């Protein structure tokens, strides 16, 4: 009877998780989606605790872990800056991978506790599930740590490559399959730890060659990996809810990765196996690498132009996130709207360093959802807009993606800001973006560069409007 009720409750949790994902697909329903997810997880945890045979020590350990993890998680969530959200997500993904490896290790050394046999005599099916969960978990763990390092600036954003990299990765992949086969057929402890070590190395090697321009795909890809790791361990534990939840996370992460790759006009495998992009620095100057002159303006110029415009389309990028300029931007747009200017926001799928990064920041500043548009919805409107106000975006507005077949970003769908009457472009310097490609938009006749910190420039524009 307990098994029947637990199955029903697990099913309810699974439905709530599905509703949660559906809610998270749109900003207006995201809060409700989060609520469904929290309720579903609460039901899942309580149900799991209820079916565990009562043991005082066991329950004390479990509740101590929940309390400690909850306190740490609450502290981090309240103290983290919104600009650090991508690396926070990457760090949390690493914990999911680590958890999967720990569960696999516990099951391998104490199989009787999981009902999968005895030490040295574990069923082949359980060993396969265990080996797969261990491999994916270890890859997710080290891959997420490298991604965190790149996002945090601890590791260079430049792609790190070496001769024969792809053949070496292929060799490790084949070796991993051989070790899993050996584990299934021999119950070998050596094969188990071989899987772990090779997977840790693969996790590093598949993320190191990926440059900063591809970080949004990396984050969503690691999200998918963490889901499949949980799913594999769900089979080991015989927990249907963990299998369902892991599959949902894995599938949704894979779909999101595909969408992000489509947004860059890149094949998924070219991003994972090669990566492109890097970071470059340049001094603030009125000349680019081609010695072309740029038109430099001031906050007063920008305020005058926008105050006399009918339509202004704002294009946020990672520079807005770094400067924490979203609130000043919202205040500026409110002033413009009060004067009859039609204000819209244009979001590129890979703006920022993780999927939805710009949407989250704008939502934090209480920007109305109906003013925020995705690339496909807004691109045709630039030709009718008087002003495109680009704040910290670079690669996603670079016309080289359409005009230069030799460019690293050629073919990537971009926001057609160059079609607006005037382009006001806020940047700290003439440095290229994460893809390491100069933006020819800087030198267009209808572009005015506003050099400086994005938040400070927006505040100066507000003062000029007042």
């Amino acid at each position: 009877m307990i098994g029947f009720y637990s199955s029903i409750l697990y099913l309810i949790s699974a439905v709530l998780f599905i509703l949660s994902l559906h809610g998270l697909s749109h900003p207006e329903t995201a809060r409700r989606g989060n609520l469904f997810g929290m309720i579903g997880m609460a039901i899942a945890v309580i149900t799991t605790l209820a079916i565990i045979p009562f043991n005082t020590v066991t329950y004390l350990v479990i509740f101590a872990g929940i309390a400690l993890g909850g306190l740490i998680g609450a502290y981090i969530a309240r103290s983290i800056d919104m600009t650090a959200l991508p690396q926070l997500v990457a760090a949390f993904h690493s914990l999911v991978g680590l958890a999967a490896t720990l569960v696999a290790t516990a099951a391998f050394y104490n199989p009787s506790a999981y009902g999968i046999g005895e030490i040295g005599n574990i069923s082949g099916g359980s060993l396969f599930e265990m080996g797969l969960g261990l491999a994916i978990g270890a890859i997710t763990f080290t891959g997420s740590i490298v991604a965190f390092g790149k996002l945090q600036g601890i590791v260079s954003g430049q792609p790190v490559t070496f001769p024969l990299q792809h053949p070496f990765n292929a060799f490790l992949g084949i070796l991993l399959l051989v070790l899993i086969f050996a584990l299934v057929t021999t119950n070998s402890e050596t094969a188990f730890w071989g899987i772990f070590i090779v997977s840790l190395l693969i996790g590093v090697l598949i993320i190191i060659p990926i440059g900063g321009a591809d970080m949004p795909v990396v984050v969503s890809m690691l999200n998918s990996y963490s889901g499949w790791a949980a799913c594999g361990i769900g089979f080991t534990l015989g927990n249907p809810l963990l299998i369902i939840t892991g599959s949902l996370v894995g599938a949704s992460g894979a779909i999101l990765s595909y969408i992000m790759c489509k947004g860059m006009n890149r094949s998924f495998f070219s991003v994972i196996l090669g990566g492109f992009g890097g970071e470059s620095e340049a001094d603030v100057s009125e000349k680019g690498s081609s010695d072309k002159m740029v038109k430099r303006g001031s906050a007063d110029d920008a305020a005058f132009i926008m105050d006399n415009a009918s339509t202004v389309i704002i294009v946020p990028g990672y520079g807005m996130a770094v400067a924490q300029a979203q609130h000043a931007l919202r205040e500026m747009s409110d002033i413009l709207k009060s004067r009859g200017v039609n204000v819209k926001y244009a979001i590129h799928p890979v703006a920022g360093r993780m999927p939805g990064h710009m949407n989250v920041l704008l939502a934090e500043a209480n920007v109305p959802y109906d003013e925020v548009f995705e690339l496909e919805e807004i691109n045709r409107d630039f030709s009718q807009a008087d002003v495109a106000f680009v704040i910290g975006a670079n690669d996603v507005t670079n016309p080289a993606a359409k005009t230069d077949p030799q460019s690293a970003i050629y073919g990537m769908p971009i926001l057609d800001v160059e079609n607006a009457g005037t382009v006001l472009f806020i940047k700290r310097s003439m440095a290229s973006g994460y893809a390491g490609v100069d933006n020819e938009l800087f030198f267009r006749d209808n572009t005015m560069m506003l050099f400086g910190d994005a938040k400070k420039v927006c505040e100066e524009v507000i003062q000029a409007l007042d």
Side-chain angles (χ1 to χ4, degrees):
M1 186 60 71
I2 293 177
F4 172 77
Y5 286 124
S6 64
S7 297
I8 295 297
L9 290 171
Y10 278 158
L11 179 61
I12 294 173
S13 294
V15 171
L16 287 170
F17 291 150
I18 294 171
L19 293 175
S20 175
L21 284 176
H22 181 266
L24 292 171
S25 64
H26 194 278
E28 291 184 354
T29 57
R31 290 181 182 272
R32 186 174 63 204
N34 273 323
L35 180 61
F36 283 145
M38 289 187 290
I39 294 173
M41 184 56 67
I43 293 174
V45 171
I46 293 171
T47 302
T48 302
L49 291 174
I51 62 177
I52 296 175
F54 181 79
N55 181 290
T56 303
V57 175
T58 300
Y59 269 82
L60 284 175
V61 171
I62 291 173
F63 283 115
I66 292 173
L68 180 60
L71 288 173
I72 295 174
Y75 173 76
I76 293 175
R78 292 183 64 87
S79 60
I80 197 75
D81 291 331
M82 293 301 292
T83 51
L85 192 59
Q87 46 264 54
L88 175 66
V89 172
F92 280 175
H93 285 160
S94 73
L95 296 180
V96 177
L98 179 61
T101 62
L102 291 175
V103 171
T105 303
F108 183 74
Y109 283 100
N110 190 14
S112 59
Y114 299 88
I116 56 175
E118 301 295 332
I119 295 178
N121 189 31
I122 304 173
S123 64
S126 296
L127 285 170
F128 177 75
E129 297 160 0
M130 190 186 303
L132 203 58
L134 176 68
I136 299 175
I139 291 171
T140 304
F141 176 61
T142 51
S144 298
I145 289 177
V146 174
F148 169 82
K150 282 178 172 282
L151 291 166
Q152 188 67 20
I154 300 172
V155 180
S156 172
Q158 296 277 5
V160 178
T161 59
F162 55 87
L164 300 177
Q165 186 170 29
H166 294 326
F168 183 65
N169 288 345
F171 166 74
L172 290 179
I174 294 172
L175 177 60
L176 181 61
L177 294 176
V178 171
L179 288 170
I180 292 176
F181 178 78
L183 176 67
V184 172
T185 55
T186 66
N187 275 249
S188 169
E189 184 176 351
T190 302
F192 180 88
W193 289 110
I195 292 170
F196 179 68
I197 294 171
V198 171
S199 298
L200 290 178
L201 185 57
I202 290 175
V204 173
L205 293 177
I206 64 173
I207 304 299
I208 278 289
I210 300 178
D214 294 330
M215 276 300 112
V217 175
V218 172
V219 173
S220 60
M221 176 192 71
L222 290 171
N223 178 56
S224 178
Y225 284 179
S226 68
W228 296 124
C231 178
I233 294 304
F235 281 103
T236 300
L237 300 179
N239 189 305
L241 183 61
L242 194 55
I243 296 171
I244 295 171
T245 305
S247 299
L248 287 173
V249 174
S252 61
I255 293 170
L256 184 57
S257 298
Y258 170 77
I259 293 172
M260 304 303 287
C261 286
K262 185 179 178 183
M264 296 187 298
N265 195 35
R266 301 274 289 177
S267 75
F268 180 78
F269 289 105
S270 71
V271 173
I272 300 308
L273 299 179
F276 72 91
E279 296 174 343
S280 62
E281 298 294 334
D283 296 330
V284 175
S285 169
E286 294 188 19
K287 290 187 178 183
S289 59
S290 60
D291 290 333
K292 296 179 180 178
M293 297 298 296
V294 300
K295 187 188 301 180
R296 184 169 187 164
S298 65
D300 289 333
D301 298 325
F304 177 81
I305 293 171
M306 289 192 288
D307 201 18
N308 289 278
S310 297
T311 302
V312 173
I313 300 179
I314 298 171
V315 181
Y318 188 67
M320 182 193 76
V322 171
Q324 292 281 288
Q326 60 270 26
H327 296 283
L329 187 65
R330 164 67 195 275
E331 185 179 351
M332 184 192 79
S333 65
D334 285 345
I335 294 174
L336 292 173
K337 286 190 292 183
S338 70
R339 298 181 181 179
V341 180
N342 180 23
V343 178
K344 301 177 181 178
Y345 296 80
I347 305 294
H348 192 280
V350 295
R353 288 190 171 184
M354 66 174 288
H357 197 183
M358 295 300 105
N359 303 76
V360 171
L361 292 173
L362 294 178
E364 183 195 18
N366 294 317
V367 171
Y369 298 132
D370 58 1
E371 295 178 5
V372 181
F373 299 90
E374 301 295 330
L375 181 145
E376 295 83 1
E377 303 171 299
I378 195 71
N379 242 3
R380 60 180 176 272
D381 296 342
F382 281 106
S383 58
Q384 281 80 46
D386 299 297
V387 178
F389 188 81
V390 184
I391 176 169
N394 198 336
D395 296 328
V396 298
T397 64
N398 192 342
K402 298 184 293 183
T403 61
D404 184 5
Q406 305 304 316
S407 173
I409 62 172
Y410 182 71
M412 181 179 82
I414 63 165
L415 291 163
D416 296 328
V417 298
E418 75 273 14
N419 293 335
T422 300
V423 179
L424 300 175
F425 210 118
I426 299 179
K427 264 190 118 280
R428 289 179 180 270
S429 72
M430 289 293 291
S432 59
Y434 289 119
V437 180
D438 288 334
N439 193 339
E440 64 181 61
L441 180 63
F442 299 164
F443 313 109
R444 297 287 179 95
D445 292 336
N446 64 332
T447 299
M448 179 181 290
M449 301 298 296
L450 306 172
F451 291 110
D453 177 81
K455 182 179 180 180
K456 184 178 179 181
V457 172
C458 287
E459 290 172 344
E460 290 173 350
V461 171
I462 292 170
Q463 291 175 2
L465 287 171
D466 287 339

